[in-house]
Amino acid sequence: MNVNWKVLFPYELIEANWRLWSFIAILGVGFWALTAFPVAQIAGYVDPFYSPTILIVPLPGAFRLTCYAYRKDYHRHLFEHPLGCSNADRGDSAARKYTGERNAVFQLENLHRYFMYAGLAILPFFYYDFAYSLVYSGSFVLRIGSLILLANALLLTAWTFSCHAVRHIVGGNIDCYSCVAAGGARKAVYDRQSWLNSHHEALAWISLLTIIFTDLYLRGLTAGLPIDHTLLRL
Ligand code: FES
């Protein structure tokens, strides 16, 4: 039997793109860990990855994956294509010349403006989970875990509202503010959003870390670590 092992196991391709495959492996293991070892609820806290349900995680996940902040990083440092935005010398090899955002990957990434609605829709659930955590064992309690849930919700909100697609909606699509209804108010909103947008990259990374930290905190509680403390009980 003549088996073409290179087709079954394309090790040359994997060797050439080891960073890409590592990235895919990390994503795969992470998704498997989330689904195989769920901590949907512990001590009145809801894990952010399960809010409202793991079933819709792919939509906010796609929103995050196609975020401009990460796109810049994985295109430049992981795919090494395109290497930069300058029109002059991009440093791309002749074989991988940048020809604009026309291939399938770029087209998929441009769905970001639609994934943004999923990102906006899921935000209230994080605040609901914070409020839900305040009532535990029949009384009102403020615990460290609740503050972590709140910080996570606020950072996710700041990241979502600083999105470039949001910027386009609130005012980036207007050429002349004085020519449209409530132009002054829209310009004011646009200016505030622009300030938030200037911190978008930092917010993207910080909010990613806080959502992971929140999940790890709840996993720590599930494992029995004595890390949660009650600050106020009424
Ligand atoms: Fe980053 Fe939209 S560009 S969330």
Side-chain angles (χ1 to χ4, degrees):
M1 190 169 57
N2 196 6
V3 177
N4 185 345
W5 292 103
K6 285 190 178 177
V7 172
L8 282 177
F9 185 65
Y11 57 88
E12 282 170 357
L13 181 69
I14 292 172
E15 188 183 46
N17 296 287
W18 64 270
R19 274 174 291 201
L20 174 61
W21 291 104
S22 308
F23 181 62
I24 290 170
I26 290 168
L27 282 184
V29 170
F31 189 72
W32 168 77
L34 279 177
T35 49
F37 306 105
V39 260
Q41 272 215 40
I42 172 76
Y45 297 124
V46 178
D47 187 285
F49 283 111
Y50 294 85
S51 177
T53 158
I54 191 76
L55 290 177
I56 67 139
V57 159
L59 283 177
F63 176 52
R64 193 168 276 275
L65 206 59
T66 54
C67 167
Y68 284 40
Y70 306 117
R71 277 157 75 166
K72 186 181 94 179
D73 287 322
Y74 58 70
H75 273 290
R76 287 188 192 176
H77 307 300
L78 193 63
F79 304 153
E80 295 184 348
H81 177 75
L83 285 171
C85 293
S86 152
N87 280 330
D89 180 18
R90 291 177 177 279
D92 289 341
S93 67
R96 305 189 73 206
K97 210 122 193 81
Y98 177 69
T99 55
E101 301 199 355
R102 281 174 292 189
N103 70 28
V105 173
F106 287 122
Q107 298 287 335
L108 276 176
E109 288 169 352
N110 285 335
L111 294 176
H112 181 74
R113 68 198 70 172
Y114 303 110
F115 294 138
M116 174 203 68
Y117 294 104
L120 286 172
I122 200 175
L123 284 178
F125 292 99
F126 296 114
Y127 291 96
Y128 174 82
D129 293 339
F130 162 67
Y132 180 80
S133 73
L134 294 176
V135 182
Y136 183 57
S137 294
S139 38
F140 176 90
V141 285
L142 182 63
R143 296 170 291 168
I144 290 177
S146 298
L147 294 181
I148 291 174
L149 289 187
L150 179 62
N152 184 49
L154 290 171
L155 281 160
L156 285 171
T157 304
W159 167 63
T160 304
F161 279 95
S162 67
C163 170
H164 297 280
V166 172
R167 187 161 187 252
H168 177 75
I169 288 176
V170 299
N173 56 351
I174 297 174
D175 291 333
C176 166
Y177 285 101
S178 59
C179 313
V180 296
R186 288 194 69 172
K187 175 77 168 63
V189 174
Y190 178 67
D191 287 345
R192 288 192 172 81
Q193 200 279 342
S194 295
W195 176 83
L196 203 56
N197 178 263
S198 68
H199 301 286
H200 185 64
E201 196 165 357
L203 287 168
W205 286 104
I206 293 170
S207 65
L208 180 65
L209 291 177
T210 55
I211 200 166
I212 292 171
F213 176 78
T214 308
D215 177 63
L216 287 177
Y217 184 84
L218 298 189
R219 282 174 192 275
L221 285 183
T222 310
L225 293 179
I227 46 180
D228 203 28
H229 298 285
T230 299
L231 305 171
L232 179 71
R233 184 182 292 275
L234 296 177

